[in-house]
Structures are given as C-alpha cells and as structure tokens.
Amino acid sequence: MVFVESYSHHYAKEVLKSWLSCDVLNYNKNEFIFNFSENIYNNNVIELEYPIYKNDSMNSIKYNWNMLLGDGINPLIPTYEELIKKRIFPIAIIDLVILDNNKPKYYIEVFHKHKTTKEKIQKLKDLGIDNLYEIEAGWILNQIKKPDYLKMVR
C-alpha cells in the first residue's frame, strides 16, 4: 500500500519536527506544552510516521519500535510495508510521536485539508492514547520563524 500526501502535509511535519527536535547537548527539553528529557539511549526523540500496534506480545504505545524490533539504541521506524511483510498489521499511523526515555509520550497529527477522523481518535483512545494533539499544516507553514507556541486544534 502506498500512502500519498500533499506537499503541505509532508513539509509541515518536517518543519514541526525541526521545531521540536532536541540538541543532544541539552539534557532537558521543555518547549511548547511538551516536557521530555534526552538520554544516552535515544538522541532522536521525534519520530515521523509512527506505526501503532498493540497485542499481547508487542506494544508500540508502551515501547519504541527500536526496542521492539531493533537493537534498542539505534533509531528504527519500520514502514507500513515492512511491518506487513512481518505479518504485523498496524492499527494506525501517527504523523509525529515524541519519545521520552525510549517510550512514546506525545502523539501529534498534522492535517492539511481534513482533520483526524472521530473514528481514528476513538480507536486511539480505546488503545490508551489520550494525549493526541492535532495541528493544522497551513498554520505551521505560515510561520516565518519558530513560534513561541503551537496553535493546536485539539
């Protein structure tokens, strides 16, 4: 399955990631409404296109993918297609996830034309994700510098 997204959606996610990315020399990260810390095991705390999967033996909500399928240190975000080949069927894909100590902490959806569906929001809530934020791609791309706040839709 190939996912197609607009340039606005794609680049808004990249810009948002750049705003939130940590400098590895900073120990604490407190920006916008998010609070997370860096550690030696996870210098890349912002993950794009994060697959959500949960069953009795594997849980990408509780553990980062590099802890589930990788070596626990080097970044690993499997694509939808890679997971399907392993017979792992993602429940959802989140645009951007902020990790704290190798565990997903904040989930962010960026939308261009259509907000996140009520069905997807409910599905994620049912899985235990209640810290899902949503931000408009146009708002991100209209900024001329890193803003002092994020204008969240929800």
Side-chain angles (χ1 to χ4, degrees):
M1 174 181 283
V2 176
F3 294 100
V4 180
E5 64 183 336
S6 69
Y7 283 120
S8 293
H9 186 247
H10 175 80
Y11 287 109
K13 291 186 301 186
E14 293 290 340
V15 169
L16 182 58
K17 180 179 179 179
S18 75
W19 291 343
L20 296 169
S21 290
C22 291
D23 176 343
V24 295
L25 299 176
N26 290 339
Y27 180 71
N28 288 318
K29 183 68 173 175
N30 297 302
E31 279 193 290
F32 306 116
I33 58 172
F34 308 112
N35 178 4
F36 56 99
S37 58
E38 293 225 43
N39 62 70
I40 60 171
Y41 303 108
N42 190 14
N43 289 328
N44 299 309
V45 299
I46 312 295
E47 303 286 9
L48 290 175
E49 301 300 321
Y50 190 88
I52 299 297
Y53 181 79
K54 183 178 178 181
N55 70 10
D56 292 339
S57 61
M58 187 177 285
N59 185 341
S60 71
I61 299 166
K62 190 173 180 183
Y63 299 102
N64 185 344
W65 281 104
N66 64 340
M67 301 297 284
L68 297 170
L69 298 177
D71 61 11
I73 297 172
N74 296 307
L76 170 72
I77 292 294
T79 65
Y80 181 87
E81 290 80 11
E82 291 169 338
L83 289 173
I84 295 300
K85 285 180 185 175
K86 293 179 185 278
R87 309 229 5 102
I88 299 171
F89 302 97
I91 299 164
I93 305 291
I94 303 293
D95 287 333
L96 192 140
V97 171
I98 300 173
L99 306 173
D100 191 16
N101 293 316
N102 268 341
K103 296 179 182 177
K105 187 170 183 179
Y106 300 106
Y107 303 82
I108 303 172
E109 284 287 283
V110 175
F111 73 93
H112 173 55
K113 292 187 177 187
H114 308 286
K115 293 182 182 178
T116 306
T117 65
K118 291 178 183 177
E119 293 79 17
K120 183 174 184 179
I121 293 167
Q122 188 58 54
K123 188 186 311 182
L124 295 171
K125 280 185 179 183
D126 292 346
L127 292 168
I129 296 175
D130 46 4
N131 51 346
L132 176 68
Y133 299 90
E134 197 169 8
I135 187 167
E136 185 179 5
W139 183 86
I140 294 169
L141 295 174
N142 281 332
Q143 305 307 302
I144 57 173
K145 64 181 175 104
K146 183 177 178 178
D148 295 327
Y149 68 95
L150 291 177
K151 185 179 176 185
M152 301 290 186
V153 173
R154 58 169 235 95

